[in-house]
Amino acid sequence: MKIAEKTVAQFHYVLKDEAGDEIESSHGGDPMAYLHGANNTLVGLENALAGKEAGDKFSVTLQPEEAYGERQEDMNQRIPVKHLQGAQKWAPGMTAVVQTEQGQRQVTVVKVGKFMVTVDINPPLAGKVLTFDVEVVDVREASEEEVQHGHAHGVGGHHH
Ligand code: ZN
């Protein structure tokens, strides 16, 4: 079965930056599962996955506009330190998670004060050229429930 609209694909990936250094990898854990055609994953990655089947391996390099977008200037915000999640102590350059009205968002710590912290709310991978080494593990038809919810269920997907 080939990856197309209303299929759920599982894949392993290694994500590398422009220098070829590994940023993150799914190997050693569950593969990533996504519902194709539902904006579950980066648009450039989804385009490269279309038509692939289980066992296919490929690499795709995404420009920032196909991935996390260009970095925006003046995206610094001051927020209470206690709103940062992911570590006990903070230092400039660290990545933190904050809850916003739109859900979780990753930010980069710029300056740390006693009670307030300055964060850059650009996505940490904004402005970067990213390469994904992908291995497709499984492709199946999406269930009606998955199509309705707009995301994959089960291993590597959403758990309710
Ligand atoms: Zn669901």
Side-chain angles (χ1 to χ4, degrees), residues 145-146 149 151-153 158 160:
E145 194 185 37
E146 287 173 319
H149 288 196
H151 55 228
H153 292 160
H158 261 258
H160 293 286

Side-chain angles (χ1 to χ4, degrees), residues 17-18 23 62-64 67-71 124-130:
D17 64 16
E18 217 167 352
I23 297 170
L62 305 183
Q63 298 303 312
Y68 292 94
E70 297 291 351
R71 288 193 76 77
L125 296 176
K128 296 201 167 151
V129 175
L130 301 173

Side-chain angles (χ1 to χ4, degrees), residues 10 31-34 151-159:
Q10 285 183 296
M32 173 90 122
Y34 82 104
H151 55 228
H153 292 160
V155 174
H158 261 258
H159 300 279

